[in-house]
Amino acid sequence: MASFLHNFLLFFCSLSLLILTSSATKSQTHIPSRPNKLVLKVQKDRATNLHVAQIHKRTPLVQFPFVIDLNGRFLSVNCENQYTSSTYKAPVCHSSQCAKADSHTCRTCSSSKPRPGCHTNACGLLTTNPVTQQSALGELAEDVLKISSTQGSSPGPMVTHPQFLFACAPSSILQKGLPKNVQGVAGLGHSPISLPYQLASHFGFPPKFALCLTSSRGNNGAVFFGEGPYFMKPGIDVSRQLTYAPLTIGQQGEYYVNVQSIKINNAMLPSIPKGGFAGALISTTTPYTTLQTPIFRALNQLFMNQLRGVPQVKPVAPFGACFDANRIPTSKMGPTVPSIDLVLDNKQNIMWRIFGANAMIQPRPGVMCLAFVDGGMRPKAPIVIGTQQLEDNLLQFDLMNSRLGFSSSLFFRGTNCANFNFGTSSTSTDP
C-alpha cells in the first residue's frame, strides 16, 4: 500500500509539472516579446479610390476603417458617432501630452456633460479633411490602440499601445470626399503623434514604415511599421533590392522627393526648370499624379510622340491624352506603353520607373488614358505623385535617415501588394 501511494504521488507530481510547463510554453507563444515590426491591413475603396486601413481601438476593443493619409500629422477620429470607451482620456491643457502633440490651444466645450471630444480645458488640435481641405478645431485625446505584430510573412498576435494620442475631429469635416462609414483619417506624416512615430517610440524600433498599396479592389494591401523583411507570396522579400533617394520633410510634416528631370523612353521632357522641379509631394489622398500645367502639357505631348502608331481618341476628363485601348497590347507589366522615368538624381542615375500598369488608366471600355492630371498653375507642389503611381510598388520611409526606398512595380518581381498573407491573422492579445 505504501509503495502504491509513493508511485501515485510521483505520477501526480510529474503530471502537474508537465501541465504547468505546457501552460507556460503556450502562454509564451501567445504573448509576444517586444515586437520589432507591425502591420495594418489596407483596402482600396471602390467609390473614391482612397485606401482604407482597419484599426482596432477603445475598450472594449472595436475595429474601425480609417483613410490612409501619408502626410497627415495624427490619427483623427469621429468621436461624435457614439464613441464609447472606458479607457478614453482627454489630457488637460498645458500637459506633457499637449506639448508632445505641439498643441498650444486650450479648448472649452459648452456641453453640460463631458463626453469624448467635448471636455473643458482640453488641448485643441486643428483637424483637416485631406480631400476637401476643410479644417476645424478638435480635442486631443488618448485611448487604447491594438495592432498586429508580424515577423514579416503573416500577422502575429496583436499588441497594445495603452495611451495612444489622437484627435477627436468634428464629424462635419469627416464626411465629404471620404469613403462611406470611415471613422477618421490615419496620419502617417512626420509628426510626434503620427502612427509611425508613436508606434516606434512605444515599441522601441526605429521610425521606419513601408506602404504597399494594392491596385485590386477587394484585396488587401499593407502598411508595415518597422524594418523589413516584408514577404509577399510566393515568399518574396520585397524590402530587398530597393533604390534609395533623399527624403525631404515639408513644414507640415509632408514627404517630398526631388525630381530633377522626367524621361519617356529615355527622351527628356523639354523646358525643365534649372535645378529640376523642386519638391515632388507623395500623396495617398490624390488619386492620380497631378502636374503643374506646363509640365502636364509637355508630358502629354512627349508621351503621344513616343506612342506613335496608336490612334488617339477624345480625352476623358480629367485626363489629357487618351488612346484606342484595342490597339495597346498588354504584358505582365500592364499596358505595353513607353515607360516614364522620374529622375531623382541625374549624377547617380537614380530613377523611379513607371510602367504601363501605373502609367495608364481605362476610364471606359475601349479607351485608355495617361493617368496624369492637370493641377493648374499654382498647385501645392509642381508634381504631386498620386496613388495610381504608388500602387503595387513598395515605398519605405526611413525617417531616421531621411531617405525613401522604392521598388518600382512589384509585377517585375512576380508579385504584387495584394500578396501579403493576411489569412493566418492571430486574434490573441497581450495583457
Side-chain angles (χ1 to χ4, degrees):
M1 184 68 179
S3 175
F4 171 79
L5 286 174
H6 176 73
N7 290 335
F8 176 79
L9 286 172
L10 282 175
F11 171 79
F12 180 79
C13 290
S14 299
L15 182 62
S16 299
L17 182 61
L18 180 64
I19 292 171
L20 286 170
T21 304
S22 175
S23 298
T25 303
K26 186 177 180 181
S27 174
Q28 287 173 6
T29 61
H30 284 280
I31 301 176
S33 59
R34 202 168 179 85
N36 61 4
K37 192 163 35 266
L38 310 168
V39 64
L40 276 179
K41 183 187 295 185
V42 183
Q43 287 189 325
K44 185 175 182 177
D45 178 64
R46 292 177 182 272
T48 63
N49 288 329
L50 296 173
H51 291 263
V52 178
Q54 301 298 324
I55 296 178
H56 295 79
K57 289 184 84 273
R58 309 187 190 182
T59 304
L61 195 66
V62 187
Q63 175 182 286
F64 289 106
F66 288 81
V67 170
I68 289 290
D69 180 9
L70 177 64
N71 298 303
R73 295 183 298 122
F74 40 74
L75 183 74
S76 296
V77 181
N78 179 3
C79 295
E80 297 176 3
N81 186 21
Q82 299 179 338
Y83 190 106
T84 303
S85 175
S86 62
T87 47
Y88 178 97
K89 293 179 182 178
V92 296
C93 208
H94 304 303
S95 63
S96 59
Q97 295 98 319
C98 296
K100 183 176 182 180
D102 198 24
S103 170
H104 305 289
T105 304
C106 295
R107 185 174 182 272
T108 299
C109 187
S110 58
S111 175
S112 58
K113 185 179 180 181
R115 55 177 172 77
C118 187
H119 286 81
T120 300
N121 198 33
C123 313
L125 280 179
L126 188 65
T127 58
T128 302
N129 180 318
V131 175
T132 66
Q133 299 304 312
Q134 184 182 2
S135 297
L137 194 64
E139 175 179 282
L140 180 67
E142 66 178 31
D143 206 341
V144 168
L145 181 143
K146 294 204 174 200
I147 184 170
S148 293
S149 61
T150 182
Q151 293 302 312
S153 57
S154 63
M158 296 187 77
V159 292
T160 303
H161 190 314
Q163 296 173 317
F164 191 88
L165 292 170
F166 63 98
C168 274
S171 61
S172 59
I173 72 162
L174 294 176
Q175 296 172 354
K176 293 183 180 179
L178 301 181
K180 291 182 179 179
N181 302 320
V182 297
Q183 293 299 304
V185 178
L188 306 180
H190 193 281
S191 160
I193 63 167
S194 68
L195 264 79
Y197 272 99
Q198 285 201 76
L199 294 174
S201 175
H202 181 74
F203 292 107
F205 52 77
K208 181 182 290 189
F209 70 98
L211 292 179
C212 207
L213 304 178
T214 179
S215 59
S216 309
R217 294 177 178 87
N219 291 327
N220 297 313
V223 179
F224 300 97
F225 300 93
E227 183 62 86
Y230 321 124
F231 289 102
M232 299 292 167
K233 292 180 283 188
I236 298 171
D237 177 9
V238 293
S239 69
R240 297 186 64 187
Q241 302 176 1
L242 297 181
T243 302
Y244 293 94
L247 186 66
T248 304
I249 309 301
Q251 292 183 351
Q252 299 298 317
E254 315 99 318
Y255 300 115
Y256 292 87
V257 288
N258 184 34
V259 176
Q260 295 184 355
S261 60
I262 299 175
K263 295 180 180 180
I264 300 177
N265 267 0
N266 287 320
M268 187 83 70
L269 197 72
S271 305
I272 298 172
K274 187 176 181 179
F277 299 103
L281 178 68
I282 308 172
S283 172
T284 57
T285 55
T286 303
Y288 309 101
T289 291
T290 303
L291 305 172
Q292 193 175 37
T293 298
I295 307 172
F296 172 75
R297 291 174 179 169
L299 183 80
N300 280 344
Q301 188 60 56
L302 182 58
F303 190 84
M304 290 186 288
N305 293 344
Q306 295 294 318
L307 193 60
R308 295 184 180 184
V310 178
Q312 297 177 31
V313 300
K314 184 179 179 180
V316 178
F319 309 108
C322 296
F323 307 89
D324 181 353
N326 298 315
R327 298 287 296 275
I328 300 177
T330 59
S331 69
K332 71 174 184 178
M333 305 305 294
T336 305
V337 297
S339 59
I340 300 172
D341 293 331
L342 303 181
V343 183
L344 307 183
D345 191 316
N346 281 309
K347 293 181 180 179
Q348 298 188 44
N349 200 32
I350 296 175
M351 295 185 298
W352 181 343
R353 178 156 289 177
I354 300 171
F355 293 96
N358 295 107
M360 305 299 287
I361 188 78
Q362 192 162 351
R364 64 175 62 155
V367 177
M368 194 169 289
C369 301
L370 183 62
F372 292 73
V373 300
D374 189 350
M377 292 302 296
R378 294 185 177 181
K380 185 173 183 180
I383 301 173
V384 179
I385 304 172
T387 52
Q388 171 69 21
Q389 284 67 45
L390 304 180
E391 290 168 351
D392 295 309
N393 288 237
L394 182 83
L395 275 72
Q396 186 186 67
F397 295 79
D398 183 347
L399 306 183
M400 178 175 288
N401 297 303
S402 297
R403 67 176 186 169
L404 173 72
F406 56 95
S407 65
S408 194
S409 177
L410 293 177
F411 294 162
F412 193 75
R413 298 183 62 185
T415 189
N416 60 67
C417 286
N419 277 348
F420 184 73
N421 182 20
F422 280 106
T424 58
S425 179
S426 170
T427 56
S428 302
T429 59
D430 58 354

